[in-house]
Amino acid sequence: MFLHPGLLSNKCGRIGLGKMKDGIGSISRRGYESRRWHSLTRSHIAPDQAPRLSELPIEQGQWVNLPPELLLDIIKRVEESETSWPSRAAVVSCASVCKSWREVTKDIVKTPEQCGRLTFPISLKQPGPRDGPIQCFIRRDRATSTYLLYYGLVPSEHERDKLLLAARKIRRATCTDFVISLVADVFYRASNAYIGKLKSNFIGTKFTIYDCQPPCGVDLQSNSSINKMALSKQPSARAAVCNYGVGTVMYELNVLRTRGPRRMNCTMHSIPISSTQEGGTAPTPTSFPVVFDGQVFPPSLASKGKDVEEPCNLVQVSGSPLVLKNKAPRWHEQLQCWCLNFRGRVTVASVKNFQLVAAAEPSDIPSAEQEKVILQFGKIAKDIFTMDYGYPLSAFQAFAICLSSFDTKPACE
């Protein structure tokens, strides 16, 4: 439908006059209120008559009234079609429309163990798939001592859209810390982006993996010091309570200086060894912890090493913990080096390259599981490394183990 030019101009003129009158009226009202305010003495304080946030009506979007059957079908089709990043961001966008969309999306999207895909940030804390590894790569920045974990086979032009985790190496007087974050430029423990850290001993042969949340199925009632800090409302409570030792990485000393790769053993205190057996399950968190009071420390305070020290107690699940060890390499006579079959994922020889398999008695783990590579890490170019992990490790745990390989270890080589 088209409007006559004369009618359109008359209509615009009426609208302009109306806005002008409203503007003049608002100016006059503001002038009256300002004169009335100046007439009051300083001892008078006007009461706040503004409605509280809880009393304001909650505005719902136009998509709230969508029929549930149609909404379920839409989100299912989006979830099935967008299988890889960055296009899979459409699934996350569906969960951001409104509360009803978020609940339906969370019910449809499966964990990485079930579907082999990463969707929400909590997927980085959940175990990887059983049938095949999730392939990632790490980019090292020597100038800033940062390490960025990306999703995918190799670096690409859209790698910023596929950032999973970031870590910064902080050298201290007695140890080395790798602070792990969800954001590439936020590395202080009191921020909401902080999800854990890796801490070494003085000589760099033992590393402890700290998580910002306790693993599922762990009873913390016996630790009174942690409970007291959890109940506290002080700003320092979050930095102190959100650190739980979930694993250790030990490198064997090479006293005789014999040839060979580094020998390492990883004890995952939060993962029971029964998870590798048939019908076994690994802890699978469903959400991140809630910040107590929303207060955070300034980055300058955290960067100077003045954070509140975390409790050093390691959590322990019921039963024996999962232990990982190096897969034994073979000596290649022609190449004169130690070799492992990385299936094309590693192309450059490096002392940092490794493959981890489950280590236990034959009765505890099936023979097929003992030969299965749970985590492999290796170099493909200068400052670029691949990281492939699977069940029962999560992306966060695998990334922390790989970070331990970047620290200098002259006593182990």
Side-chain angles (χ1 to χ4, degrees):
M1 181 179 66
F2 296 91
L3 293 177
H4 192 272
L7 295 176
L8 184 60
S9 61
N10 292 336
K11 184 176 180 181
C12 295
R14 288 195 299 271
I15 294 175
L17 289 175
K19 290 184 178 180
M20 185 180 298
K21 290 179 181 178
D22 294 339
I24 295 174
S26 62
I27 293 174
S28 62
R29 285 194 297 272
R30 286 197 298 269
Y32 168 74
E33 291 175 357
S34 62
R35 290 194 299 272
R36 180 174 178 272
W37 172 255
H38 287 297
S39 64
L40 298 176
T41 61
R42 292 185 178 181
S43 60
H44 291 80
I45 299 177
D48 187 6
Q49 300 296 337
R52 299 179 179 178
L53 293 177
S54 59
E55 298 175 355
L56 294 176
I58 300 176
E59 296 183 1
Q60 295 287 351
Q62 58 181 345
W63 304 105
V64 174
N65 299 324
L66 196 69
E69 296 80 6
L70 181 59
L71 173 61
L72 184 65
D73 183 65
I74 291 175
I75 298 181
K76 275 186 177 180
R77 294 190 180 190
V78 173
E79 203 277 334
E80 292 174 357
S81 60
E82 306 296 350
T83 57
S84 60
W85 288 90
S87 60
R88 191 161 176 78
V91 182
V92 182
S93 300
C94 290
S96 305
V97 173
C98 60
K99 185 177 181 180
S100 59
W101 282 57
R102 179 162 52 254
E103 296 300 327
V104 174
T105 306
K106 289 171 63 177
D107 292 339
I108 292 177
V109 174
K110 299 178 181 179
T111 62
E113 178 186 352
Q114 298 170 328
C115 66
R117 296 192 291 265
L118 301 174
T119 306
F120 300 113
I122 192 60
S123 301
L124 303 174
K125 291 290 190 71
Q126 297 173 342
R130 293 176 181 262
D131 53 352
I134 292 181
Q135 297 175 322
C136 313
F137 68 92
I138 300 173
R139 182 183 292 275
R140 175 176 59 182
D141 189 342
R142 297 175 183 267
T144 59
S145 298
T146 56
Y147 305 84
L148 303 179
L149 176 67
Y150 295 96
Y151 179 77
L153 298 176
V154 292
S156 62
E157 59 181 3
H158 299 292
E159 65 181 25
R160 291 185 177 181
D161 298 330
K162 299 183 289 186
L163 177 67
L164 300 179
L165 293 171
R168 172 171 290 175
K169 185 177 182 179
I170 302 175
R171 294 188 179 275
R172 305 188 188 276
T174 59
C175 64
T176 301
D177 288 349
F178 291 86
V179 181
I180 305 175
S181 172
L182 292 170
V183 185
D185 55 355
V186 178
F187 295 102
Y188 54 99
R189 254 205 322 252
S191 68
N192 292 332
Y194 170 78
I195 65 170
K197 64 178 289 188
L198 179 72
K199 184 176 182 179
S200 74
N201 60 355
F202 179 72
I203 60 176
T205 57
K206 179 181 179 181
F207 294 80
T208 304
I209 303 172
Y210 289 100
D211 198 338
C212 71
Q213 62 187 113
C216 302
V218 176
D219 187 12
L220 299 177
Q221 299 298 326
S222 59
N223 198 331
S224 58
S225 61
I226 293 181
N227 292 334
K228 289 179 181 179
M229 285 183 290
L231 297 175
S232 173
K233 293 297 181 180
Q234 299 297 326
S236 61
R238 186 184 191 278
V241 73
C242 291
N243 283 286
Y244 303 90
V246 297
T248 55
V249 182
M250 294 285 296
Y251 287 86
E252 297 182 10
L253 294 175
N254 190 3
V255 181
L256 301 178
R257 312 297 295 175
T258 57
R259 292 190 305 173
R262 295 173 178 172
R263 293 184 292 272
M264 57 190 295
N265 286 278
C266 304
T267 304
M268 308 307 298
H269 302 280
S270 61
I271 303 177
I273 195 174
S274 59
S275 62
T276 58
Q277 300 175 354
E278 185 178 358
T281 58
T284 306
T286 57
S287 61
F288 285 105
V290 179
V291 181
F292 296 118
D293 50 10
Q295 302 186 26
V296 297
F297 295 112
S300 59
L301 183 64
S303 61
K304 295 180 181 180
K306 296 182 180 180
D307 274 346
V308 178
E309 187 66 20
E310 74 281 344
C312 296
N313 295 331
L314 294 175
V315 299
Q316 186 68 54
V317 294
S318 58
S320 301
L322 175 66
V323 179
L324 304 176
K325 67 175 182 179
N326 290 83
K327 187 174 183 179
R330 63 180 181 85
W331 178 256
H332 199 289
E333 291 293 341
Q334 296 179 352
L335 299 178
Q336 290 295 301
C337 65
W338 296 95
C339 295
L340 281 171
N341 184 11
F342 288 96
R343 300 185 183 278
R345 290 287 289 157
V346 178
T347 57
V348 179
S350 174
V351 71
K352 297 178 176 63
N353 302 344
F354 66 81
Q355 288 181 333
L356 295 184
V357 295
E361 297 296 331
S363 59
D364 295 332
I365 299 179
S367 57
E369 292 293 333
Q370 293 183 24
E371 296 297 326
K372 181 180 179 181
V373 176
I374 297 177
L375 170 63
Q376 75 173 17
F377 171 80
K379 190 175 184 179
I380 60 174
K382 183 180 180 179
D383 296 326
I384 299 179
F385 304 81
T386 59
M387 186 194 85
D388 301 340
Y389 76 96
Y391 181 88
L393 290 181
S394 65
F396 162 72
Q397 294 166 343
F399 186 45
I401 295 174
C402 293
L403 288 175
S404 67
S405 183
F406 287 106
D407 199 24
T408 305
K409 305 170 184 61
C412 303
E413 301 171 1

